[in-house]
Amino acid sequence: MPSPFPGMNPYLEQPAVWQDFHQRFITYISDALAAQIRPDFFVKIEEHVFIHEPSGEERHKLLGRPDVSVFETPGEGGVTLAEPPANSVAALVACIPDVEFEKHSFIEIRDRGNRELVTMIEVLSPLGKHYGPDREQYLMKRTVLMCSPVSVVEIDLLRDGPRLPLTGVPECDYCLMVSRPAMRPDVLAWAVKLRDPLPTIPIPLRGSAPDASLNLQALLHEVYDAAGYEDYLYHTPPEPSLPDADAEWARQFVPAIAE
């Protein structure tokens, strides 16, 4: 069964669902592109790895600070306490705090002949949108690619979080961007409202190869059906919540949200 919404389904944005949807959507995009671009190009799913370190206070938190050393004296019973020599630096017992790793999948299209990167496709996640080191890390990569012969495609299907830098785009719920090297600094952009169907976007390749295309709405319906989201998606309200007018509009598609 396809998604009941004509465009993006706002229930897919809730944190308990988004990671699963993101991973499935990436896979369906990859499969749809591979069928179009073979054999001259190939598609790979790669991963950003975001490392989240503890705060400075947590990093320097010590478990103990011994003033003396304890050791056994060979051939004798008991133990001997050894005072540290004057002016020496005492050893500390410290701990290595946990470091959290988060992985975020993205898509690469590469040339079969020389394996060069041709196009990068990013389906944005909350990590890449909210202000902080993860967003900065992604924007640095984006800037480097924009100065190269690589095409960049961004698919932002999240209402939450500040938009990535992109001038000339009106207020919208979702935003799509295709950046071709020959057009820069201009890009193609789609400002999509909640009630709009998702568009079909071109995926640039290289040389004389024609663009591939992605029918995002059709792919969303396929993912929704394959994942069986209808069985559990609507037990909680959308996150972030919908404005009153949009919430009223959404009830016609999913009557259960009115309960």
Side-chain angles (χ1 to χ4, degrees), residues 105-122:
S105 298
F106 63 98
I107 297 169
E108 290 183 346
I109 296 177
R110 290 185 175 268
D111 187 289
R112 185 190 64 172
N114 55 25
R115 305 299 174 93
E116 286 184 350
L117 180 61
V118 173
T119 305
M120 187 198 75
I121 303 171
E122 184 84 22

Side-chain angles (χ1 to χ4, degrees), residues 28-237:
Y28 273 69
I29 288 174
S30 300
D31 291 346
L33 289 174
Q36 298 179 60
I37 68 175
R38 295 176 59 197
D40 295 330
F41 304 92
F42 63 92
V43 184
K44 294 180 65 180
I45 297 178
E46 295 288 356
E47 289 183 329
H48 298 297
V49 178
F50 296 95
I51 302 175
H52 299 154
E53 294 186 84
S55 66
E57 180 180 350
E58 291 172 326
R59 284 199 301 269
H60 294 93
K61 186 177 181 180
L62 304 178
L63 290 180
R65 184 189 177 101
D67 293 323
V68 296
S69 301
V70 181
F71 59 89
E72 291 189 44
T73 303
E76 300 180 5
V79 296
T80 301
L81 300 181
E83 294 290 344
N87 300 322
S88 68
V89 178
L92 303 176
V93 178
C95 68
I96 299 176
D98 291 335
V99 177
E100 181 182 357
F101 292 85
E102 292 197 47
K103 296 181 179 180
H104 172 74
S105 298
F106 63 98
I107 297 169
E108 290 183 346
I109 296 177
R110 290 185 175 268
D111 187 289
R112 185 190 64 172
N114 55 25
R115 305 299 174 93
E116 286 184 350
L117 180 61
V118 173
T119 305
M120 187 198 75
I121 303 171
E122 184 84 22
V123 180
L124 295 183
S125 71
L127 284 174
K129 287 193 66 177
H130 288 278
Y131 293 118
D134 297 337
R135 177 185 171 101
E136 293 171 5
Q137 181 178 326
Y138 172 69
L139 285 177
M140 183 179 298
K141 178 179 180 179
R142 182 206 212 199
T143 300
V144 171
L145 290 176
M146 291 289 193
C147 297
S148 77
V150 175
S151 295
V152 178
V153 178
E154 286 179 355
I155 301 172
D156 183 359
L157 299 180
L158 290 165
R159 289 172 295 128
D160 195 23
R163 297 271 169 237
L164 294 184
L166 193 62
T167 59
V169 176
E171 184 178 349
C172 57
D173 294 304
Y174 310 107
C175 187
L176 314 167
M177 183 271 285
V178 174
S179 172
R180 302 174 185 268
M183 284 185 61
R184 290 172 185 148
D186 295 330
V187 302
L188 297 176
W190 292 259
V192 182
K193 295 285 191 177
L194 174 65
R195 308 186 190 197
D196 297 333
L198 297 178
T200 297
I201 62 172
I203 304 298
L205 298 174
R206 185 174 288 178
S208 59
D211 292 347
S213 65
L214 281 180
N215 184 332
L216 296 176
Q217 192 63 61
L219 288 173
L220 186 146
H221 287 317
E222 290 180 27
V223 172
Y224 181 93
D225 185 38
Y229 287 134
E230 64 178 355
D231 296 335
Y232 68 92
L233 195 63
Y234 306 107
H235 294 175
T236 55

